Amino acid sequence: MSCEARGNPPPILSWFINGTEVDPEDDARHSLVDGNLIISNASETADYGKYQCRATNGLGTAVSRDALLQFAYLGAFSAKTRGGVSVREGQGVVLMCTPPPHSPEIIYSWVFNKFPSFVAEDSRRFISQQTGNLYISKAQPSDVGSYICLVKNSVTNARVLSPPTPLTLKTDGVMGEYEPKIEVHFPPSVLAAKGLTVRLECFALGNPVPTITWRKINGNIPKKARLRKSQAVLEIPSAQLDDSGTYECKAENPRGGTAFKGHLQVYTLPQWTRLINDTQLDSGETLRWECKAAGRPRPTYHWLLNGSPLMIQGRVEVVNGELSIRDVMQSDSGMYTCVAENKYGTVYSNAELRVLASPPVFIPNPVRVIATLGKDVSLACKPRASPKPRVTWRRADSRRLQQSNRIMLLRDNTLRIVNSSRADEGHYVCLAVNTFGSAEMTAMLWVKEPMRVDLSPGRLEVTVGESVVLSCKATHDTSLDVGFQWSFNQRPINFQKDGGHLEYIQTVRAQQSSTVDLMIRSILLKHAGKYGCRAHTSADVVFAEAELLVRGPPGPPGVVIVEEITDSTATLSWSRGLDNHSPISTYNLQARSPFSLGWQTLRTDPEPVTGTMESAMAVDLNPWVEYEFRVVASNAIGTGDPSAPSRGVRTKEAVPAVAPANVSGGNGRRHELVISWEVRRSPGFTRDGLLVLLLMRSLYLQ
């Protein structure tokens, strides 16, 4: 049996059988290996029972849940010869199995005459898995023979056979019809664990063979329930609490009927809904632990301290499973166990209570604090102590500090000074006292002039490709060291990942000031934004920000839409893109088709297309050609990226603009003249035209 426990110091594990500690020296069959209990040559007589593991160290004892050790076995039937059974034809009969000793449950079946011919259950024959008996509601000549009860252990699968029981029919007549008599029924009160399968048996003798029906009093039989073995067994899989109730089986035949009622009670083992957790308290505080468990019947609770029953008296109270201990002391420390149990099971919840008791100790001591003139300053006093100490503050050169609107003691014992001045400089002493002792902590306070930071220039406009320098100057107390950090749009700048555009220029220190520069080389549009300089000393943090505007070529215009199309024109519209701090001066309309080499600039109406326009007409297009269009913006800095292409559209059809050339005639047969010409196409014109053939009648001259 395995047992694991964690603790510091590592716990020592021990085992108990039925409440008695296992001692390997007293019984060589028992051994402990890494906390695991090993039983050699286990026997039911010596080892059957409840086992529990306990873990102990210097801080307490925790206990495990109980484990029940059982032994599976199957004895042999008595070898005594069984007497025969004789009944009239039509009469009911019961053949007794009388099983041998066994554990746990066994499975019953009956052999008819010789193995492996088994009795098949039907509406007339039934084998009870509760008693093992074979019931025949109405005997008939085919039932005559020898019957053997076979039992099988559900764990070991061992099987044994009983001596045979002969069944014969009497010759003094046939049994007449009679009303049913229930010979097999479930107990009047059935207990079943939640989640298990419940089987209710009901079988009757009678002539004619009775019919079995089931119902639930004041309710419906669960939909998941199923009837087995010709209605003789009602099976309820995964029983739930609402399956509890009174069930009735009824046996009927033409001669009458009878019924049996029994109550099913589904119970649940205790299950935790609220556990206790490790708790650390100062001496003198109050412990409150509540553990809750669900179960039916409702669980009851009791408490253990280090594996033994907790004494409920004086400071210790337990109400409805809730444990409270007033004015805890070190002797209350240990491992507590809440035990929830009902008649069907027990669960355990363990937690450690650690009660602290120590005099005040300050780490570190003394404390140095640098404040800024005119700002608020806080002096913390956080001793390690249990119970919590009383705290007072005083100046090292004077009596106890008196609280005022400017000097106050906060709830966490922090001394707060509002609008600090040079007069506040000096040594402050915090005194902490509890029942176990006292300790002092000295805080040395210096008040310095506030730091000022100047970032110049504050606002700057540059053109793409130029370089600029931002200078950050901090004026501060000469006794303090200053550090700087640059940020871009509120994010720290990583100078290694910027591709060489940004350079941090080392700090230049003067008597009362420090200066650091940021150089931005070959500026791109993405460098536009807000640059911040954060200067910090041990007393102060100051932030300044500058804005950099970058002028550059316009961004791409928005989506291009073809509003109207003719055979030679297209009306286009678009939305403005970014001007990048330089007004857009003109727009350039471009198109491409299967007959062009890339994008070609178009003639427009009006011409030029100014930067204030968002619509224009492209002219001199070729008819019956598919075009894509795009727009490019320009400003004083240059020409930007083009817009995304429009969807493809085809211009309308048109009459050919060029006449055929090189018309000639001749040859041909008699009465015919062949005329030929060359087709000249307009640029991009691809649609087939109509060919007109002139057939001329030959002229005969006399």
Side-chain angles (χ1 to χ4, degrees):
M1 294 186 177
S2 298
C3 180
E4 295 182 6
R6 296 185 301 273
N8 187 17
I12 298 173
L13 301 180
S14 57
W15 283 86
F16 289 76
I17 304 177
N18 298 323
T20 302
E21 185 173 1
V22 175
D23 187 353
E25 295 184 359
D26 289 345
D27 190 339
R29 298 181 307 106
H30 295 159
S31 59
L32 295 176
V33 180
D34 295 330
N36 300 322
L37 175 62
I38 300 175
I39 305 175
S40 303
N41 299 320
S43 69
E44 181 183 15
T45 303
D47 301 312
Y48 173 87
K50 290 185 178 181
Y51 287 69
Q52 188 176 58
C53 177
R54 298 190 184 187
T56 303
N57 65 11
L59 299 177
T61 299
V63 297
S64 73
R65 64 179 177 86
D66 290 337
L68 177 63
L69 176 59
Q70 303 179 78
F71 291 79
Y73 65 92
L74 179 61
F77 279 98
S78 170
K80 183 179 180 180
T81 302
R82 298 192 174 190
V85 177
S86 181
V87 295
R88 290 191 181 94
E89 181 180 349
Q91 184 179 2
V93 63
V94 180
L95 301 182
M96 302 294 185
C97 178
T98 314
H102 60 273
S103 178
E105 297 82 4
I106 53 178
I107 301 171
Y108 297 92
S109 57
W110 282 79
V111 178
F112 181 50
N113 287 331
K114 63 180 179 178
F115 190 86
S117 176
F118 288 93
V119 174
E121 291 185 308
D122 52 28
S123 60
R124 193 175 63 85
R125 294 173 295 183
F126 175 67
I127 301 171
S128 170
Q129 294 301 318
Q130 299 298 320
T131 64
N133 298 337
L134 170 62
Y135 298 84
I136 303 175
S137 62
K138 173 187 172 184
Q140 56 191 33
S142 61
D143 296 325
V144 173
S146 177
Y147 290 83
I148 299 173
C149 180
L150 185 151
V151 297
K152 175 182 175 182
N153 190 293
S154 58
V155 174
T156 65
N157 290 326
R159 297 187 297 180
V160 293
L161 297 170
S162 71
T165 300
L167 176 65
T168 59
L169 292 181
K170 294 179 179 180
T171 58
D172 57 352
V174 176
M175 184 76 171
E177 293 184 354
Y178 63 94
E179 65 181 9
K181 178 183 179 184
I182 294 178
E183 285 289 337
V184 181
H185 58 73
F186 53 97
S189 179
V190 178
L191 292 173
K194 178 184 176 183
L196 298 183
T197 297
V198 177
R199 293 177 177 87
L200 305 180
E201 294 184 350
C202 184
F203 190 76
L205 309 182
N207 187 8
V209 175
T211 299
I212 306 295
T213 57
W214 294 83
R215 73 184 182 107
K216 182 180 181 183
I217 308 300
N218 299 325
N220 297 320
I221 289 179
K223 293 182 179 180
K224 61 188 174 183
R226 47 183 179 257
L227 292 170
R228 312 192 104 185
K229 300 183 176 66
S230 301
Q231 316 291 316
V233 178
L234 175 66
E235 187 173 274
I236 305 174
S238 185
Q240 301 300 309
L241 296 178
D242 55 3
D243 295 331
S244 300
T246 300
Y247 289 78
E248 179 188 75
C249 74
K250 191 172 185 179
E252 296 178 291
N253 69 6
R255 302 296 295 180
T258 184
F260 175 81
K261 296 178 183 178
H263 187 77
L264 169 63
Q265 178 64 56
V266 179
Y267 66 85
T268 59
L269 301 174
Q271 294 179 320
W272 289 117
T273 58
R274 181 179 301 170
L275 298 169
I276 57 176
N277 298 306
D278 293 344
T279 300
Q280 182 172 290
L281 296 177
D282 289 329
S283 176
E285 292 187 324
T286 298
L287 169 71
R288 285 188 175 84
W289 262 333
E290 182 182 16
C291 59
K292 287 292 184 183
R296 180 178 290 186
R298 181 179 298 175
T300 59
Y301 304 90
H302 65 273
W303 289 81
L304 307 177
L305 172 57
N306 294 325
S308 300
L310 177 65
M311 299 296 293
I312 309 299
Q313 61 182 9
R315 299 177 299 109
V316 182
E317 294 182 350
V318 174
V319 179
N320 296 326
E322 180 178 339
L323 170 65
S324 64
I325 304 177
R326 300 187 308 275
D327 299 325
V328 295
M329 56 186 65
Q330 280 187 298
S331 60
D332 295 322
S333 297
M335 288 298 300
Y336 286 75
T337 304
C338 179
V339 183
E341 60 183 341
N342 61 18
K343 60 194 293 187
Y344 304 110
T346 304
V347 290
Y348 298 81
S349 176
N350 295 298
E352 179 189 3
L353 171 63
R354 181 173 295 182
V355 179
L356 304 179
S358 63
V361 176
F362 286 98
I363 301 176
N365 189 15
V367 175
R368 294 173 175 83
V369 179
I370 301 176
T372 301
L373 189 66
K375 299 291 183 65
D376 298 348
V377 61
S378 295
L379 304 179
C381 179
K382 296 182 178 179
R384 294 181 180 177
S386 179
K388 293 180 180 180
R390 300 187 308 276
V391 170
T392 57
W393 281 89
R394 62 182 175 84
R395 292 288 291 263
D397 54 356
S398 66
R399 297 181 178 180
R400 180 175 176 177
L401 284 171
Q402 297 297 322
Q403 295 195 53
S404 65
N405 292 335
R406 203 176 67 83
I407 300 177
M408 57 194 74
L409 183 63
L410 305 183
R411 287 187 177 181
D412 62 353
N413 298 322
T414 296
L415 181 65
R416 187 167 183 80
I417 302 174
V418 178
N419 189 19
S420 60
S421 66
R422 294 286 189 185
D424 295 320
E425 285 189 331
H427 291 63
Y428 292 78
V429 178
C430 172
L431 174 63
V433 179
N434 70 6
T435 55
F436 297 98
S438 64
E440 289 185 348
M441 185 265 314
T442 300
M444 292 171 283
L445 174 64
W446 289 278
V447 180
K448 304 293 184 180
E449 290 288 337
M451 179 170 54
R452 300 190 307 276
V453 172
D454 179 42
L455 179 58
S456 62
R459 189 176 189 276
L460 187 62
E461 293 189 14
V462 296
T463 302
V464 168
E466 295 180 349
S467 299
V468 298
V469 174
L470 299 177
S471 182
C472 182
K473 180 180 179 181
T475 303
H476 54 88
D477 190 285
T478 56
S479 64
L480 302 177
D481 292 327
V482 63
F484 294 90
Q485 184 180 49
W486 287 97
S487 62
F488 175 55
N489 291 333
Q490 299 182 351
R491 291 188 176 183
I493 295 175
N494 188 328
F495 290 93
Q496 283 73 36
K497 293 185 179 180
D498 192 67
H501 289 280
L502 303 180
E503 181 182 353
Y504 183 98
I505 300 178
Q506 293 298 324
T507 306
V508 177
R509 181 82 181 253
Q511 185 175 2
Q512 290 187 335
S513 66
S514 300
T515 304
V516 66
D517 294 337
L518 173 66
M519 175 172 281
I520 311 174
R521 291 190 176 92
S522 303
I523 289 175
L524 305 176
L525 288 173
K526 69 177 184 178
H527 293 135
K530 293 185 177 182
Y531 290 82
C533 174
R534 185 182 303 275
H536 54 87
T537 67
S538 55
D540 209 356
V541 177
V542 182
F543 180 77
E545 200 169 47
E547 184 176 13
L548 178 64
L549 301 178
V550 180
R551 295 187 297 267
V559 178
V560 177
I561 298 174
V562 181
E563 303 283 359
E564 185 178 356
I565 191 78
T566 69
D567 59 343
S568 61
T569 66
T571 301
L572 309 178
S573 66
W574 60 91
S575 58
R576 292 175 59 85
L578 297 175
D579 63 10
N580 290 326
H581 307 293
S582 180
I584 298 174
S585 55
T586 58
Y587 288 104
N588 190 327
L589 275 58
Q590 298 178 348
R592 68 179 175 186
S593 72
F595 307 102
S596 66
L597 296 176
W599 291 91
Q600 304 293 324
T601 299
L602 301 174
R603 290 187 57 213
T604 59
D605 182 17
E607 191 172 9
V609 180
T610 66
T612 60
M613 301 175 62
E614 295 184 22
S615 177
M617 178 185 292
V619 299
D620 295 341
L621 304 178
N622 293 316
W624 201 248
V625 175
E626 185 168 303
Y627 287 96
E628 290 179 286
F629 299 96
R630 72 181 187 183
V631 179
V632 180
S634 300
N635 62 12
I637 309 300
T639 300
D641 293 330
S643 68
S646 71
R647 62 180 179 86
V649 294
R650 187 185 292 274
T651 53
K652 304 293 186 183
E653 303 174 62
V655 175
V658 181
N662 297 327
V663 179
S664 62
N667 300 325
R669 294 177 297 178
R670 189 177 183 177
H671 307 303
E672 292 181 350
L673 177 64
V674 177
I675 301 173
S676 62
W677 64 87
E678 293 180 1
V679 177
R680 299 176 63 188
R681 296 181 180 272
S682 301
F685 183 79
T686 59
R687 189 168 178 81
D688 294 338
L690 298 176
L691 300 182
V692 180
L693 298 179
L694 302 178
L695 301 179
M696 303 181 65
R697 181 177 297 177
S698 300
L699 298 177
Y700 296 90
L701 299 178
Q702 298 297 328

